[in-house]
Amino acid sequence: MPSNTSGFKDVPIEVTISVGTARPTVKELLSLDENAILTLDRRISDPVELYIGDKLIARGELQEADDETGQLAVRLTEVSGLSGAAE
């Protein structure tokens, strides 16, 4: 029976971009209100990580999208071996 996976190539997949982690205490978390700031464990210049589910698929740099002012984008700098996964 032939395998026809080409139809799956047009199915959208949600990619999560991780820019860092905050580790507040429960007390700090409960006291948060509007305009509170959570400090992350990364710097602005550090790479972000791209995940599908819990699988790391790439790393990149945050930047402003070329076509829309204020819209965020990610320029990929490192991609895991995904080619052939849906071939």
Side-chain angles (χ1 to χ4, degrees):
M1 179 180 250
S3 173
N4 184 3
T5 59
S6 62
F8 289 107
K9 291 183 179 182
D10 293 328
V11 175
I13 294 178
E14 184 171 300
V15 177
T16 302
I17 313 298
S18 174
V19 297
T21 303
R23 300 203 185 277
T25 64
V26 173
K27 179 181 178 181
E28 292 167 334
L29 190 62
L30 292 173
S31 68
L32 292 177
D33 57 7
E34 192 173 327
N35 295 319
I37 296 175
L38 285 174
T39 302
L40 302 178
D41 61 352
R42 300 228 183 127
R43 297 185 166 282
I44 290 175
S45 60
D46 287 347
V48 296
E49 297 172 332
L50 288 77
Y51 291 90
I52 295 176
D54 61 353
K55 180 169 177 52
L56 177 65
I57 60 160
R59 287 189 176 86
E61 302 168 344
L62 284 179
Q63 65 179 46
E64 189 171 351
D66 292 335
D67 56 348
E68 293 189 39
T69 303
Q71 183 73 41
L72 283 175
V74 177
R75 177 183 305 279
L76 300 184
T77 58
E78 178 184 334
V79 178
S80 298
L82 288 179
S83 63
E87 306 264 358

